[in-house]
Amino acid sequence: MEKLERQVCGPASELCRLGSPPFFLPPQLEKTGGLLQSEGKEQTDRLAKETVSEFLGTYIMIVLGCGSVAQAVLSRGHLGGILTINIGFAAAVVMAIYVTGGVSGGHINPAVSFAMCVFGRMEWFKFPFYVGAQFLGAFVGAATVFGVYYDGLMAFADGKLLIVGENATAFIFATYPAPFISLPNAFVDQVLSTMFLLLIVFAIFDSRNLGVPRGLEPVVIGLLIIALSCSLGLNTGCAMNPARDLSPRLFTALAGWGFEVFTVGNNFWWIPVVGPMIGAFLGGLLYILLIQMHHSGPNSETKAEPIENKLEKHELSVIM
């Protein structure tokens, strides 16, 4: 019996006697299997961290960004105005990216995550996790702003939560179109503003272009958002972010403003959701076709920056 055991198990006969299976994978396969299992666990852990990071980043952006709107509106302009709103929202994005950029890239915007996936800068399997975290973070952020400014909201219009009119407060949380704007014009507005957003974000993180000193990318993105909101904010409020708009809008529908928040402005609500996705694709595509493909020198990419750093920068991104 012992002789047969040695023939079957070879060097592992002692393990056979202890009740281990009589057949073993070759050592190289055992190592490979263990490595694959370890890599799978590491990938799962990494995805979980990135998901939490996107939730937190979007939460920070909404609390500080919509908070700047709430302060201006509820003080009736005494403690803020369009300038403080534009700077406040841009600064909120900067702070959110500084908190989360090293973990998930600080996308905080489904349109940004979509563009990263389309152009091969993030794996597609991460997309639903990123987007789910972003929508949830925006919803919880809106709830936080509502809680912080609850007394102010109740005092603003004698306890009424209004969507339109002089005492409207729904636009603290989500964007609404200007009275003169048509739906086609509003749609083009959202596509165009998000196109510029992604085009310039791709430029900021392109190591073969002029580039931005490492660590200052969020600041430059903040300046980009100020430029966009100061130049393209009149028509629709310059949302450029499906999560930033849809989740707070849903919260207001549930919190007392009613589901008219989805019908006001000739059912405007879908434009800040669909428009930015199309604009993000166009922005990334334009940058690649008109700039990235024309970098001179076959080895300029590798000389500019090590591959591992370049990949990490490609995964960084943003928005409002």
Side-chain angles (χ1 to χ4, degrees):
M1 179 64 181
E2 183 178 354
K3 184 176 180 181
L4 177 62
E5 201 172 51
R6 286 176 181 164
Q7 289 175 349
V8 173
C9 297
S13 58
E14 291 302 321
L15 293 177
C16 285
R17 291 193 186 96
L18 294 174
S20 298
F23 298 102
F24 294 84
L25 290 172
Q28 65 271 25
L29 291 182
E30 286 184 339
K31 291 179 181 178
T32 302
L35 184 61
L36 289 174
Q37 186 176 10
S38 175
E39 288 179 350
K41 185 178 184 302
E42 182 179 346
Q43 191 176 52
T44 301
D45 291 344
R46 174 71 179 173
L47 180 58
K49 293 174 183 177
E50 292 173 357
T51 302
V52 172
S53 174
E54 285 298 302
F55 168 84
L56 178 61
T58 313
Y59 173 79
I60 292 171
M61 176 185 65
I62 294 299
V63 172
L64 300 183
C66 290
S68 69
V69 183
Q71 177 168 296
V73 172
L74 298 180
S75 69
R76 297 189 184 275
H78 294 295
L79 298 178
I82 188 61
L83 185 60
T84 62
I85 291 172
N86 288 346
I87 295 175
F89 231 119
V93 172
V94 173
M95 297 305 112
I97 300 170
Y98 270 123
V99 170
T100 64
V103 177
S104 64
H107 294 186
I108 58 177
N109 183 345
V112 171
S113 299
F114 178 69
M116 294 296 119
C117 291
V118 167
F119 297 105
R121 303 183 180 193
M122 187 177 79
E123 299 90 341
W124 274 106
F125 78 88
K126 292 183 178 181
F127 181 71
F129 294 93
Y130 270 57
V131 172
Q134 291 156 1
F135 275 105
L136 182 59
F139 187 90
V140 177
T144 301
V145 173
F146 179 78
V148 168
Y149 281 108
Y150 179 80
D151 289 344
L153 287 164
M154 293 299 103
F156 187 76
D158 297 325
K160 298 177 183 178
L161 300 176
L162 304 175
I163 302 171
V164 296
E166 182 181 357
N167 292 322
T169 49
F171 69 95
I172 289 174
F173 301 89
T175 61
Y176 290 85
F180 57 80
I181 201 75
S182 65
L183 282 183
N185 196 169
F187 183 75
V188 171
D189 174 274
Q190 279 297 285
V191 170
L192 186 68
S193 58
T194 314
M195 182 192 77
F196 276 115
L197 174 71
L198 267 295
L199 189 154
I200 299 171
V201 163
F202 271 43
I204 290 169
F205 292 102
D206 185 354
S207 59
R208 292 176 294 169
N209 208 323
L210 290 178
V212 175
R214 187 166 179 80
L216 291 181
E217 297 96 338
V219 176
V220 178
I221 289 168
L223 294 175
L224 166 60
I225 293 170
I226 291 175
L228 289 170
S229 57
C230 287
S231 59
L232 297 173
L234 173 64
N235 289 337
T236 64
C238 212
M240 304 180 292
N241 184 334
R244 173 262 177 277
D245 199 84
L246 183 58
S247 286
R249 192 183 301 274
L250 176 60
F251 173 80
T252 56
L254 299 173
W257 282 266
F259 281 87
E260 287 184 19
V261 297
F262 288 99
T263 60
V264 167
N266 198 19
N267 298 297
F268 166 82
W269 71 270
W270 63 271
I271 287 178
V273 177
V274 178
M277 304 300 280
I278 297 173
F281 171 77
L282 293 177
L285 182 64
L286 282 176
Y287 186 80
I288 290 172
L289 292 179
L290 301 182
I291 301 295
Q292 184 173 305
M293 290 178 62
H294 304 289
H295 286 309
S296 60
N299 298 321
S300 61
E301 181 174 1
T302 55
K303 287 181 180 178
E305 188 170 337
I307 291 297
E308 61 272 12
N309 289 339
K310 186 176 77 63
L311 178 61
E312 183 180 359
K313 289 181 77 173
H314 275 313
E315 290 194 347
L316 291 173
S317 287
V318 201
I319 184 15
M320 174 167 144

